[in-house]
Amino acid sequence: MRNLRNTPVGATVTVRKIEGEGATRRRIMDMGITRGAEIYVRKVAPLGDPVEITVRGYELSLRKADAEMILVD
């Protein structure tokens, strides 16, 4: 499995697992990024941080450290 940070712009992927623990993992899940959710990668900043995605009908920006914790297919 690859992580969300390495997903190319324009790709739609499905969340398979969220790594990490505690408050960081809970924060990601509270944003609607849960197992089985579909994520569309809209764009990535020139230096790779942040990653802009669409999930559950809304747009969201994630830091690359958070995007690395999200494993996708």
Side-chain angles (χ1 to χ4, degrees):
M1 280 189 278
R2 62 183 173 185
N3 61 37
L4 186 61
R5 181 174 182 252
N6 298 327
T7 303
V9 174
T12 300
V13 294
T14 303
V15 177
R16 291 296 166 216
K17 183 179 179 182
I18 300 172
E19 295 182 327
E21 46 190 64
T24 304
R25 183 172 186 211
R26 172 54 55 194
R27 182 174 46 83
I28 290 171
M29 293 175 70
D30 287 345
M31 289 187 278
I33 303 171
T34 56
R35 187 170 176 229
E38 287 195 356
I39 296 177
Y40 172 72
V41 180
R42 294 179 43 91
K43 59 184 168 180
V44 177
L47 297 176
D49 200 14
V51 176
E52 188 174 307
I53 63 171
T54 300
V55 60
R56 300 188 190 271
Y58 67 94
E59 296 170 6
L60 178 66
S61 292
L62 290 174
R63 292 178 282 180
K64 62 180 165 179
D66 292 340
E68 287 177 352
M69 294 172 49
I70 302 167
L71 300 181
V72 297
D73 279 343

